Amino acid sequence: MTITLQEITCQLCDHTHFTFEDTPGLSMPFPEEESSLTLENCLSRHFKACSTVKGYYCRKCKKENDSLRIVTIWKKPEVLALHLKKFKQTNGQYLESKDAISFKMELEFDYLNFHSPGNYSDITSNIIIENKNKYWLYGYISHHGTSKSGHYTA
């Protein structure tokens, strides 16, 4: 299991709310208009991207506002399962990206690139620096077709 840390920061009072989640894998959006579609780029964009949470209710200032959200890996998994969301909704229809993504047989990244500077960074900085992570491709599944029908190949 992968343990992720979600940090939501209120734009009004600057309070950060932390949530931990056990997930069987990481689900990431497929990048749009990327010149180099690699698995490493997808991971980097996913963990460095800040998204906006519209209408977030802050427990500290007790107001709704658009807040910033960052998701990071808190605990590395023994087996890393990745899911790339190749379907996106456009004009009420789900369309699959036909772009190919390149990946190597070996994936290496260290947590320093993916952990955001939040209140927990002092606690984990020593652990994160020492844990270089290396994963080897064991298998992959690919979907061909539409959102309503198609085939999966492994």
Side-chain angles (χ1 to χ4, degrees):
M1 287 297 239
T2 304
I3 298 178
T4 58
L5 169 62
Q6 175 179 253
E7 301 176 47
I8 298 178
T9 304
C10 176
Q11 294 298 315
L12 299 176
C13 70
D14 210 31
H15 173 73
T16 302
H17 176 76
F18 298 95
T19 305
F20 292 92
E21 183 179 10
D22 252 346
T23 61
L26 299 174
S27 190
M28 301 174 290
F30 202 77
E32 296 179 30
E33 300 175 20
E34 181 85 23
S35 60
S36 176
L37 284 174
T38 66
L39 188 56
E40 290 86 354
N41 287 351
C42 290
L43 283 164
S44 180
R45 286 184 68 160
H46 178 70
F47 287 108
K48 289 184 180 181
C50 228
S51 61
T52 302
V53 180
K54 295 194 181 290
Y56 174 75
Y57 179 79
C58 178
R59 295 177 190 169
K60 185 176 181 184
C61 69
K62 310 254 189 265
K63 295 180 182 172
E64 276 190 23
N65 67 88
D66 294 348
S67 299
L68 295 179
R69 175 180 170 261
I70 299 173
V71 177
T72 57
I73 294 177
W74 178 259
K75 181 181 177 195
K76 71 175 186 169
E78 189 173 318
V79 175
L80 179 64
L82 301 173
H83 168 239
L84 291 173
K85 301 177 194 174
K86 291 186 74 174
F87 286 95
K88 70 176 184 174
Q89 188 173 11
T90 305
N91 297 328
Q93 294 182 350
Y94 286 96
L95 302 174
E96 180 180 11
S97 172
K98 301 297 181 194
D99 294 331
I101 189 162
S102 64
F103 52 88
K104 300 175 186 174
M105 294 300 288
E106 184 178 293
L107 174 67
E108 184 173 349
F109 61 86
D110 75 65
Y111 277 71
L112 273 178
N113 294 334
F114 300 104
H115 187 80
S116 66
N119 293 349
Y120 289 99
S121 60
D122 292 339
I123 299 169
T124 60
S125 61
N126 293 334
I127 298 167
I128 293 169
I129 292 169
E130 295 170 4
N131 282 325
K132 285 224 171 191
N133 298 292
K134 196 178 279 192
Y135 294 95
W136 291 269
L137 179 65
Y138 185 75
Y140 72 96
I141 298 172
S142 183
H143 179 266
H144 307 279
T146 67
S147 64
K148 296 181 181 180
S149 68
H151 297 281
Y152 288 94
T153 54

